[in-house]
Amino acid sequence: FLVVFKSGDTSRIAMAAFGGGLVIIANTAFGAAHVRRSRIEVARVYGAGPVFILFHVVARELLPQVLDGMRLAISLSLVLTIVGEIMLGATHGLGTRINDTLSGFDLPRMYALIGLVGVMGYLLNLIGRVVSQRLADYGKHL
């Protein structure tokens, strides 16, 4: 990412998006491999076409896996962003502040910032879980 995007915010964003995207793709592939064939066959028996089967049968089977992948991707992207800020020499951000407090031997502030990142990760995961539960419930009623 440094070679393509140079050093800056773009490379850190691309790194986090790439890592998160891989997690979402892996979870989607896992979900697609475990779609129940019996539901597809029942839809075919009732005369459903391939587009209907894709959007109404397969998509509903994939939804929980995709949403779980998105929750994992949020957490991984947060970690990659913090590490990217530390490693790539950012001028602002929590990773930079953590690195500055470490180099200045301000350990209480460093641990407070690490705790803040942990709380942010927990809250983002909680929001992701609530959203995924609501979307999964909505998908059941379609």
Side-chain angles (χ1 to χ4, degrees):
F1 291 106
L2 283 173
V3 171
V4 174
F5 297 110
K6 307 290 185 239
S7 179
D9 289 338
T10 308
S11 66
R12 288 188 299 277
I13 292 169
M15 182 176 61
F18 181 75
L22 285 179
V23 171
I24 294 171
I25 289 170
N27 270 28
T28 303
F30 178 78
H34 291 88
V35 169
R36 290 184 226 158
R37 303 289 178 220
S38 60
R39 289 188 185 209
I40 295 172
E41 293 302 322
V42 167
R44 281 192 186 136
V45 166
Y46 282 109
V51 175
F52 182 87
I53 290 172
L54 177 66
F55 287 106
H56 291 280
V57 177
V58 175
R60 285 187 187 170
E61 289 276 330
L62 286 177
L63 188 62
Q65 292 296 326
V66 173
L67 294 174
D68 286 343
M70 291 175 84
R71 281 182 48 210
L72 290 170
I74 289 170
S75 300
L76 180 66
S77 295
L78 179 65
V79 170
L80 287 175
T81 302
I82 298 295
V83 170
E85 288 174 357
I86 292 171
M87 296 299 210
L88 300 179
T91 58
H92 57 278
L94 283 174
T96 303
R97 293 198 183 224
I98 290 171
N99 197 28
D100 291 344
T101 56
L102 176 64
S103 63
F105 296 107
D106 190 2
L107 296 182
R109 182 170 286 157
M110 182 190 72
Y111 285 122
L113 288 170
I114 291 172
L116 176 64
V117 171
V119 168
M120 282 176 47
Y122 176 76
L123 290 176
L124 286 172
N125 197 335
L126 187 65
I127 291 168
R129 185 173 62 191
V130 168
V131 168
S132 67
Q133 285 175 347
R134 297 240 173 135
L135 285 175
D137 288 344
Y138 179 74
K140 290 178 186 176
H141 297 297
L142 286 179

